[in-house]
Amino acid sequence: MKKSVLYILPLMLMALGLTSCEKDEIKSDSVITADSYKMNEFDKWLEVNFVNPYNIDFKYRYEEIESDYNYYTVPAQMENSIIMAHLVKYLCVETYNEVAGVDFTRSQFPKMFYLIGTWEFRNNGSFILGTAEGGRKILLAGINELDQHLGSAEELNHYYIKTIHHEFTHILNQTRDYPTSFRQVTPSSYVNDSQFEEPYNSAYLYRGFISAYAQTEPKEDFAEMVSEYVTHSPEWWEAMMKEADTKWSEDLKQTETGRSLIEQKLDIVRAYMHDTWNIDIDELRDCILRRQDNVTRGLVDLTDLTVE
């Protein structure tokens, strides 16, 4: 089953973005497709850092069969693919190594990453940041925009890193499902594809959801809870909880504040991750934030292809 992370975008801006994508000129030496395969230094680096230790196939060459035919897509630029490979390794793979152990990473982390250059734009004003398929593959979109977001931890998380943790949560849930009690916290409050429409787009915290997208369905809610929690600081989380500390006035049946509902969900998430996977989500958050700070401060070389 495929699960997606969406991001809302005004229709006018979406149209402009599509026009821009069609007119962008991508240097021929920066895009490598499967049709023009020739092993290079990046391939050798991937073999040492992904294939050999984790059996992960990191696909940056464009392969039509790996893409979704419902969307207009283009190849990922090689320069940004190298940066993304370093980010996945440093902020995700090695993070789980540190917190859960390398055996966990080898057994549970997806065996394929596939990169595409553009976002997958939908006709409802949103676009897809990434998808997870069948517990084995994560697609990451918008790679050609990556270099524009490296200086901001919030942007880097919003468009890429949070997506990876969100999709990996889906994979963990597909392996061992989360408790049914999570679905019962806000059982009648999910709104499917109306999550980005008013009043839901602005009232999600009061309604007991950590993001607008979390209102889609319980599976997305659970993945959003994990990914938002571990990629943001304790100060950010507490600010969200303070804002959520009220009842949604438009639903007379809601007897608890949004904060109470979100914290009930967090307790279930924390127990699931600890009891099922032996992962302390607070330790995971500390590790991610520390590494994320190193990246945004320029302390990590994201272009080095040295093979030892």
Side-chain angles (χ1 to χ4, degrees):
M1 179 180 292
K2 179 184 290 187
K3 291 294 175 182
S4 306
V5 176
L6 300 180
Y7 178 69
I8 192 69
L9 184 73
L11 288 174
M12 184 176 293
L13 290 180
M14 182 184 73
L16 290 173
L18 284 172
T19 302
S20 174
C21 288
E22 291 173 350
K23 291 183 178 180
D24 279 351
E25 293 183 4
I26 302 176
K27 296 184 298 182
S28 60
D29 60 350
S30 69
V31 175
I32 297 181
T33 67
D35 295 334
S36 59
Y37 179 84
K38 182 179 180 181
M39 194 164 189
N40 54 42
E41 294 304 308
F42 185 27
D43 295 312
K44 296 175 183 177
W45 185 90
L46 289 172
E47 190 172 70
V48 170
N49 290 278
F50 281 90
V51 178
N52 292 344
Y54 308 106
N55 194 30
I56 294 175
D57 186 7
F58 197 92
K59 290 180 178 287
Y60 66 98
R61 292 180 172 85
Y62 190 79
E63 295 186 26
E64 188 177 21
I65 193 172
E66 298 293 351
S67 303
D68 190 329
Y69 295 140
N70 293 312
Y71 301 99
Y72 171 84
T73 58
V74 301
Q77 294 175 346
M78 183 172 179
E79 292 89 339
N80 282 1
S81 296
I82 292 172
I83 294 173
M84 179 53 71
H86 277 280
L87 292 175
V88 171
K89 176 177 181 286
Y90 187 73
L91 293 178
C92 301
V93 173
E94 293 179 350
T95 293
Y96 286 101
N97 284 352
E98 184 175 330
V99 174
V102 68
D103 289 340
F104 167 86
T105 310
R106 285 173 175 160
S107 62
Q108 302 302 328
F109 219 68
K111 296 308 177 186
M112 180 192 298
F113 281 85
Y114 177 61
L115 311 185
I116 56 175
T118 57
W119 313 113
E120 292 186 333
F121 291 90
R122 307 181 79 194
N123 60 9
N124 66 351
S126 66
F127 59 88
I128 293 175
L129 302 175
T131 63
E133 297 182 32
R136 58 174 289 274
K137 170 186 173 183
I138 289 181
L139 177 146
L140 293 176
I143 299 302
N144 294 350
E145 308 295 327
L146 173 61
D147 53 335
Q148 302 178 33
H149 304 294
L150 288 174
S152 167
E154 180 60 31
E155 291 181 21
L156 190 62
N157 264 327
H158 180 74
Y159 291 110
Y160 303 102
I161 305 307
K162 186 178 82 70
T163 299
I164 298 171
H165 291 288
H166 176 109
E167 299 300 342
F168 185 43
T169 301
H170 280 317
I171 289 172
L172 293 179
N173 293 162
Q174 290 167 18
T175 303
R176 299 180 187 175
D177 200 6
Y178 56 89
T180 57
S181 57
F182 184 90
R183 302 171 175 86
Q184 300 307 313
V185 179
T186 51
S188 60
S189 298
Y190 295 100
V191 296
N192 298 315
D193 289 337
S194 299
Q195 75 271 45
F196 294 128
E197 300 174 3
E198 291 297 343
Y200 310 117
N201 191 39
S202 58
Y204 57 88
L205 287 171
Y206 313 137
R207 302 184 71 243
F209 298 91
I210 195 57
S211 72
Y213 187 57
Q215 300 169 108
T216 308
E217 60 175 322
K219 291 181 180 179
E220 300 303 334
D221 191 6
F222 193 96
E224 282 290 275
M225 285 292 297
V226 174
S227 60
E228 291 282 7
Y229 187 83
V230 302
T231 59
H232 285 98
S233 68
E235 294 76 18
W236 180 92
W237 186 268
E238 180 56 26
M240 295 299 101
M241 294 304 97
K242 286 181 178 179
E243 185 174 348
D245 203 9
T246 187
K247 297 177 184 178
W248 192 40
S249 59
E250 294 190 26
D251 185 356
L252 299 179
K253 295 180 180 180
Q254 184 175 320
T255 60
E256 299 180 72
T257 65
R259 176 172 190 152
S260 175
L261 295 171
I262 293 172
E263 289 181 341
Q264 289 175 50
K265 293 177 183 179
L266 182 61
D267 287 342
I268 297 170
V269 166
R270 178 177 278 111
Y272 166 84
M273 293 296 287
H274 180 270
D275 297 345
T276 306
W277 301 110
N278 196 30
I279 293 176
D280 183 327
I281 59 173
D282 293 294
E283 183 182 354
L284 180 62
R285 176 173 65 179
D286 291 344
C287 182
I288 291 172
L289 294 180
R290 168 170 46 81
R291 288 171 172 265
Q292 176 182 284
D293 184 59
N294 290 340
V295 169
T296 55
R297 290 169 59 198
L299 302 179
V300 181
D301 189 343
L302 300 176
T303 62
D304 180 32
L305 294 179
T306 302
V307 174
E308 298 180 359

